[in-house]
Structures are given as C-alpha cells and as structure tokens.
Amino acid sequence: MPRELTIALAQMNCLVGDISGNVDKIIELAATARREHAADLVVFPELAITGYPPEDLLLRPEFIERSEAGLERIRRAVGGIAVLVGFPHLHKGELYNAAAVLRDGETLALYHKHLLPNYSVFDEKRYFRAGSRPAVFELHGVQVGLTVCEDIWGPAPMAQAVRAGAQLVVNINASPFHVDKQAEREAVIRERIAVSPVPVVYVNMVGGQDELVFDGGSLVMDAQGRITQRAPAFEEGLYLTRLRVGRTGVEPLPDTVTETDGLAGIYQALVTGVRDYIDKNRFAGAIVGLSGGIDSALTVAIAADALGPDRVHAVMMPSPYTSDMSLEDARAEAEALGVHYSTISIAQTVDSIERALADEFTGSTRDATEENIQARVRGVLLMALSNKTGKLVLTTGNKTEMAVGYATLYGDMAGGFAVIKDVPKLLVYKLSHYRNTLSAVIPERVLTRAPSAELRPNQTDQDSLPPYDMLDAILELYIEQDRSAEDIARATGASLKTIREVIAMVTRNEYKRRQAAPGVRISQRAFGRDRRYPITSGFKEPRGG
C-alpha cells in the first residue's frame, strides 16, 4: 500500500548572531509543524542557528560554543518529529558548515557541506573546511540524502548521496536574491535530477541581512524535473509538501506553485532589505530627503511600504534653485503615501557658509564646490533629525550615480542605508512605474521630466553625463561583466571616447563608493561585497582602438 510523508519547509528569517532567538524560533516552528500539521520532518535553512552569513563571528570561540549549545537545546526540546537544521560544527579542530537531523533526542545524521563557495558575495573557505562524505538517513522507510546550498550547484554531492541509497535529496540554503536567480536555481536542480533522478526538496532562507536579501522560493521538484510546489517569495512561514511513497520510489504530490519575478520581485527585495535592516538594527523608522525627483520618490515609496507610513519622515529642503514643481510633487507624494512631511529651507544656511568662505574663495569662480555645499547642508540637517528621532537616514543615490560619482560625499551620500544603490537609473523609472500600478503615489511629472539635481539654474543630469540609456548599458557591461572598452563599443555602438570617459569616472570615484552606506543587492555584481577594487591603483584601460 502506498503511504505518505509530510515534510514542512521552514522558510525562516534568521538574525545573524542571535543564536538564542533563532533557536527559539526553530523550536516553535518545529512544534507547530508536529502539532498542527503532523509533519514527519521539518527542514530549516543553511546555518539557521546562527543566521547567514555570520562572517568573522565564526572566528570567535564563544560564538561556536553558543551555536553548539543551541543545537543541544533543539535536540532536548523537540520530540515527535525529525528536525533538519544548519549550524557551524567544530570537529577535531576544524569548522564545518553542517546540517544535522535530530529526532527524539538523537542525531540521525550529520553532514558537512562539500562545496564551499568562494566567489561573488561568498567567502566560505575563509571559515570552513569542506566535507567529503555523504549523509543518508531513514525517514519512515525512505532514504533521505542531505546536501547544503552550493552542493546542488555541482554534480558530485547529489550523485554521491544517490549512490549511497538516497531516494529523496534535501538541499538547505542561504541563497541570496539577484535578478533572475530563481530561474537559475531551478535550471541547476533540473540538471542534477537529469543525472540522479530522485525528487529534491529545496529550502531557502528569507529576509534581509546587511546588503544581502534572501528571497525564499523554497520548492519541491519531482524525479522528472517538474516543480510540484513553490513557496511564496519573501514570505516567512511553514510550507507543507506531501510525498507518496510506493514501490517505485518517492513521488511529491502537486500543491501550490507561486511565482514572483520581474519588477515585482525586485521591488519586494528592496522592501524586504529596508524593513529588515531598520528593524533588525532597531531603528525607530526612516528619514528620507524628498526632493521631487525620481530617485527620492522611489526611495520614500519603498520605505513606506517596508515600514508603514507612520514610521517614515520625508523632508523637503529647498534652495533658491528648487523649482515650484519639485515642491509640489514632493508634497503630493508624501500626502499620497501618508508619511510625515516637513520643509526646511537651506537658503540662509548655505548663504552663511558661503559668506564664511568668501575670503578663502576670493579670485575663484563658482563651480561644483558651491553646489556641494548645498548637498552637504542637507546631509547635516537629515543627520540631525536622525540623531534626535532615532530614525535612520535612507540615501537616495542609484547605481548609475554611484558608479560615476555623480553624488556628493558627506552630502546626498550621508546616511545609514542606500536603498537603490544597486538599481541603475533606467530601472529606477521602471520600478517607479511598477509601484504606481499598486497605487498611484508618484506624480506623473516626476516620471516624465528630465532628471536634475537642481543645484544650479536649469541644471539637468545630462549636462554632465551621457544619456542614461547609453550610460546604463556601458556600466552594466563594464561593472557586471568585466568587458573591455572595445567589447562595449561593439555591443552598444557608443564611441570609444565616451566609453573611456565613463570608465575613468568609475575608476576615479572608487574612494567615494568605499565610504558609501551599504545598500540592497539585486544584481550579480553590486558595489560592496561583490566588487572589490583598490582605491589607489595605477591600472589603466588600454588605449588602442
């Protein structure tokens, strides 16, 4: 007679370093899976006990001791259900990224991650030793193999588990989001199943951790490579899957298959990143300098969606160059969102600073120096409000600006979290249009007029930069794909002169980016953990062509 197994996929939002809190949540979710759903197994993400990535906390002996104590507390507290949980395991003086299966006070299996990623945002070889042995345990007559995250991206670990008798493979993950990441994961799992045809249960973390956002998307794929269930993206919770066990193997029963991708997925990633950065770091809310331009318009909308409008303060800081249209549009958006809104003129403050510098500047002409004074006065005001209220200043610079240095250090770069730091300018517009499909909050003029910093009369961004469609294409190829100037010219049709000018701006402004606030990562090559270039460098692009 065929029988069924019930597995609970615990798509959990962990807090790095909060071992006690993470363990409390694991115990509670395991008890719920047993009591309310009669699950046979509950599966938690990679390093769920510590959160991911714990980085150099792993070098502290007391951190490892607390993690081991947390695992022991789970072992003692949970009964009547098998629990699969990730944790750092110190064994014979070596540290492993491990997964343990616990049931009724016993350890049924212990697995050490085989493939340690050491690229992009990952540096696991700094901390962990690679495992080499498979781990297969029996769950009510079914042989279940264990793998951890990167193990599914290479062919050997899953094939080794199947050779050891696994009829079902579980893969626990802390796999961060970037655009189109879910499609990549699913394609890789299908590749593994094509060689080792058994079902895969894939469980991923959710939530924001500094620059990284984990999107969940936990899933079950059958032995033919078909998705039978997919959990919602960016939503914490327990998601059940049922598997029929018969003579021919294990067959997942079809269930809910949700999908969040495209602009909706990117927007959810930004909202999740802002919410968790502010809440996990215990800020009271967010402060945004709302200028009437597109970047701050998107930033304040994301903040309101992440935190609720009652925790967001939008501040308009007009100068003599600020247009009435900008004032009107900023107020209109604040009212549409329902956020607290205030206006603080910077004219007198800027004038007093310029008068204080008048003797020093005698004989010089007005240039970007005076423009930057305006931006820096705004930064001072926002930071003062932050100090007084306990709310975090969210900066509004986009990836295009961060790349070429079209931002003022200690001015509009002043703040604690850079919401759209990894969002190119054209994508800012697309996300703003998307946000207005949910409810119309960004005024139409903000979406259609030429972008401007409004730091001098009749200024537009295109006075200083190439057209954004060209600029974004050049930057994507150079920053995210490491293409040469000649390759970029062939791909975009832009002149080598323009491309080299853009590359020179990127190189020249590394020192600014090094001092920028962290921000949500949505691309495969973000500024920060991903892209680490020297500030002081004699390397130049070749001049040929």
Side-chain angles (χ1 to χ4, degrees), residues 382-404:
L382 291 174
M383 290 306 301
L385 290 170
S386 175
N387 290 159
K388 188 64 70 175
T389 64
K391 293 180 178 178
L392 182 72
V393 175
L394 300 179
T395 67
T396 60
N398 60 63
K399 188 172 188 175
T400 308
E401 293 172 346
M402 292 298 101
V404 298

Side-chain angles (χ1 to χ4, degrees), residues 134 136 145 156-169 195-198:
V136 178
M158 180 167 164
Q160 192 178 16
V162 171
R163 286 197 301 271
Q167 301 166 281
L168 168 72
V169 169
V195 175
S196 304
V198 301

Side-chain angles (χ1 to χ4, degrees), residues 325-371:
M325 179 169 55
S326 294
L327 284 163
E328 292 165 5
D329 289 344
R331 180 175 291 278
E333 180 176 7
E335 290 175 351
L337 288 168
V339 303
H340 176 52
Y341 176 79
S342 57
T343 302
I344 306 172
S345 173
I346 66 169
Q348 288 185 342
T349 308
V350 170
D351 183 60
S352 68
I353 292 173
E354 289 188 359
R355 281 190 281 108
L357 291 167
D359 290 343
E360 301 293 334
F361 287 178
T362 298
S364 63
T365 58
R366 293 183 69 87
D367 56 16
T369 305
E370 285 77 13
E371 296 178 16

Side-chain angles (χ1 to χ4, degrees), residues 250-266:
V250 180
E251 179 187 0
L253 301 178
D255 204 329
T256 305
V257 177
T258 63
E259 191 162 358
T260 302
D261 57 7
L263 293 175
I266 298 169

Side-chain angles (χ1 to χ4, degrees), residues 218-229:
S218 302
L219 62 91
V220 181
M221 193 175 287
D222 68 17
Q224 287 73 47
R226 297 172 299 205
I227 295 173
T228 61
Q229 183 177 1

